[in-house]
Each structure stands twice: as C-alpha cells, then as structure tokens.
Amino acid sequence: MSKILVFGHKNPDTDAIASAISFSYLQNALGKETEAVALGEVSEETAYALEYFGMEAPRVIETAANETNTVYLVDHNEAQQSVSDIHDVEIASVVDHHRIANIDTANPLYYRAEPVGCTATIVLKIFKENNIAIPKNIAGIMLSAIVSDTLLFKSPTSTQEDESAARELADIAEVELEVYGLDMLKAGTNMGDKTAEELIDMDAKSFPMGDKNVRIAQINVVDVEDVFSKQAQLEKAIQQTNLANHYDLFVLVVTNILDSDSVILAIGNPIAAVEEAFNVKLDSNKAVLKGVVSRKKQVVPQLTEALTK
Ligand code: MN
Ligand code: MN
C-alpha cells in the first residue's frame, strides 16, 4: 500500500507544517506508514523554526490521489482549504481546532477536535496517550506552532492547555520559551521584500458565508503603517484576485503582534456587513480593530453572523 499522506491546510502556517510533521512521526511510531507533506511553501516564520531545530520543510504536493488513496488532515477540515482533489481520496483521520464545515466522508474516521489554541497542543496529548517519547526537534517545531497560533499566548484562542503544552515542549527542546518565541514571531514579520500580491496571499483562507465567498488574509507585523504605505497596490491586487477567483469580499487583517491590535482593509461586497460585524466605519476601506488578533475567534464568526442573517 502507498504511504498515507499527512498535511495541513493550503498556505501553510507553522501549525499546519508542525502538526503534519509531528502527527506523522507519531503515527509512524505506532506502526503506520505515513509521510508529512505540505500544500504550499513554508513561511519565513516556519522556515526560521525548521532551521532552528535542524529540520527540513516537507515536500509540497499539488494533488494527493496520484500517490495515495488515504490521507490524514491536521489543522483544517474544510474542503476548500485542503488539497484540490480531496474528494478523490479517503480522509481516515482529522486532528483539528477549527470550526467544522464542508467535510463529508464515505467511511468512518478518527476525528479529534478540541477548541484549544493550536493543533500541536492536541497532538501532544495524543503522544502522551500512546506513551510515545517526543524527540527534541519535534518538540521544538511543536512549541513553535503553539507560539505562532497563540501569538505567545496573547490571542484569545490561547488556553491554559496551550501554555502548559508549550512549556512542557520547551523543556524537551531545551529553549527559553519567551526569548525563542519572540525571535520566531519576528522572523515572520519581515515584509520588506514582498509584493502586494504575495502579501495578500501569504496567510489567506476562503470561507463560504451565507451565499458569499469570503477571503480573509492575515499578516503579522511590528509596523502596521509600513504595510499600508502600499495600500494602493494592495487594493489593486485584492480587486484582481477577487475577480479571478470569484471572491465576493476580501478582508486583509494586518495584526501588530506587539500591541495586539489589527487594522483591516476590506474590498468587495457587501461592505456594510463588515462595518456591522465589527461595529466600525470604514475610512478609505480601512478600520482599526482594537484588541483583535485572531481570525478564527474575532473575525470569522462576526463576519459569518453579519452575512448569514
Ligand atoms: Mn493553521
Ligand atoms: Mn492551527
């Protein structure tokens, strides 16, 4: 039988990569034959973490059915965020911490979902349940995922379990959690050499909301103004991608990881839903969202509600 492929969502973040690597390692230790792969190139933040712990980025795949009939999903479940031919393979397992939508399977499966801040936190529990020791480098990449998803525990998605998991993993990986964590987050905020097209696609996800197709991109920075110095180019790139991909609405969330606020740039329809969702008035298509750092908890539910009533 061909290897089972393990992967996170498209436009992979550190959790999508780290959870695929660690869950694949765990399943192999339990006797399965799996390989961690990725649905895109790794970000600079993830590259920093992989290099720090001496690991290679997983191979990038475009389709799965050409090489396997079975896949394990981590850090996502929605079909439009998964591999393009997800309907041609069997999903035998999902480990995730997102809303459940658009997933249907022909057969029974393992489904592990918990409302914690990071998939790697759940993967750590599965390691413990199975009494499998975690190698130093795997622990390092897992704690990187927790730091990334929770913005060093400042995100409202972060739970006590995420923080204890990260501390436990930091002990195994032998790193100073706060120091390493901030260095890794900062490595992901280097926007200087990115084009507008790259900026709006780096960490973008699609969500069906009511009868609208909504695209939400997020960029973590230490200087929000620096990104908006390219506002005209960003708007042009967003209009083009909206047209090309039939997105009704595009919301770019630019998050300052140091002060934990975001500025959004919204282009498309209905703009009134954006203003209603966040109780703001857009000015030049922009609005400040105080205290907003989490797409999953502070952007997607509010927009979904505004678009589905
Ligand atoms: Mn993710
Ligand atoms: Mn995640």
Side-chain angles (χ1 to χ4, degrees):
M1 207 187 80
S2 53
K3 272 189 188 170
I4 296 165
L5 295 181
V6 185
F7 48 84
H9 51 82
K10 285 179 183 163
N11 288 342
D13 54 16
T14 301
D15 189 25
I17 299 293
S19 290
I21 291 173
S22 54
F23 192 63
S24 171
Y25 176 90
L26 170 64
Q27 290 300 323
N28 292 349
L30 293 171
K32 293 277 197 314
E33 268 193 57
T34 77
E35 180 188 357
V37 293
L39 304 186
E41 300 296 335
V42 300
S43 70
E44 285 184 43
E45 177 195 277
T46 310
Y48 178 92
L50 288 167
E51 198 193 318
Y52 191 96
F53 294 106
M55 304 179 84
E56 297 285 321
R59 166 171 79 87
V60 175
I61 62 162
E62 299 292 331
T63 54
N66 55 307
E67 48 179 314
T68 189
N69 47 27
T70 309
V71 300
Y72 292 170
L73 308 186
V74 292
D75 198 38
H76 75 297
N77 68 79
E78 301 191 41
Q80 79 282 356
Q81 295 170 5
S82 197
V83 75
S84 57
D85 61 348
I86 190 68
H87 295 295
D88 300 330
V89 288
E90 180 174 345
I91 303 168
S93 167
V94 178
V95 182
D96 190 24
H97 67 132
H98 293 90
R99 73 172 193 178
I100 299 176
N102 304 315
I103 179 172
D104 43 73
T105 63
N107 291 301
L109 74 160
Y110 288 99
Y111 201 113
R112 180 79 174 253
E114 295 188 27
V116 291
C118 182
T119 302
T121 301
I122 310 171
V123 175
L124 172 62
K125 288 191 193 181
I126 309 176
F127 265 97
K128 290 180 170 179
E129 288 160 8
N130 288 283
N131 276 314
I132 304 289
I134 306 179
K136 192 172 165 179
N137 60 350
I138 301 268
I141 195 76
M142 288 171 76
L143 84 87
S144 302
I146 299 173
V147 166
S148 172
D149 268 13
T150 66
L151 288 178
L152 258 177
F153 322 119
K154 284 194 290 186
S155 168
T157 58
S158 188
T159 68
Q160 192 49 53
E161 288 190 66
D162 296 295
E163 195 163 341
S164 350
R167 300 211 178 275
E168 187 174 337
L169 291 163
D171 280 348
I172 302 172
E174 293 173 32
V175 293
E176 192 84 56
L177 184 56
E178 272 76 14
V179 176
Y180 167 77
L182 197 56
D183 285 348
M184 186 205 75
L185 288 175
K186 280 185 179 159
T189 63
N190 169 30
M191 302 296 154
D193 52 351
K194 300 270 192 321
T195 64
E197 286 75 15
E198 288 169 328
L199 288 173
I200 64 160
D201 193 54
M202 280 168 53
D203 178 8
K205 290 181 180 176
S206 297
F207 300 89
M209 295 182 184
D211 60 352
K212 301 294 182 203
N213 185 10
V214 181
R215 183 82 163 167
I216 305 177
Q218 186 168 27
I219 317 177
N220 290 340
V221 300
V222 289
D223 183 358
V224 171
E225 285 315 306
D226 184 42
V227 173
F228 283 100
S229 67
K230 292 186 193 165
Q231 185 172 348
Q233 293 101 300
L234 290 170
E235 291 187 2
K236 193 163 163 237
I238 290 172
Q239 275 150 2
Q240 282 168 347
T241 196
N242 281 359
L243 263 180
N245 300 289
H246 309 288
Y247 304 137
D248 298 294
L249 179 63
F250 195 112
V251 181
L252 174 66
V253 182
V254 182
T255 301
N256 184 322
I257 60 164
L258 300 181
D259 68 11
S260 304
D261 293 323
S262 295
V263 178
I264 54 166
L265 176 66
I267 308 280
N269 283 295
I271 281 297
V274 177
E275 298 191 323
E276 188 191 320
F278 305 112
N279 196 20
V280 292
K281 268 269 167 261
L282 289 164
D283 181 12
S284 309
N285 305 319
K286 287 193 302 184
V288 177
L289 304 188
K290 278 274 166 208
V292 169
V293 297
S294 168
R295 170 171 47 199
K296 181 187 355 198
K297 218 163 185 165
Q298 297 172 297
V299 179
V300 172
Q302 290 75 3
L303 259 183
T304 304
E305 196 191 333
L307 283 166
T308 51
K309 60 180 185 189

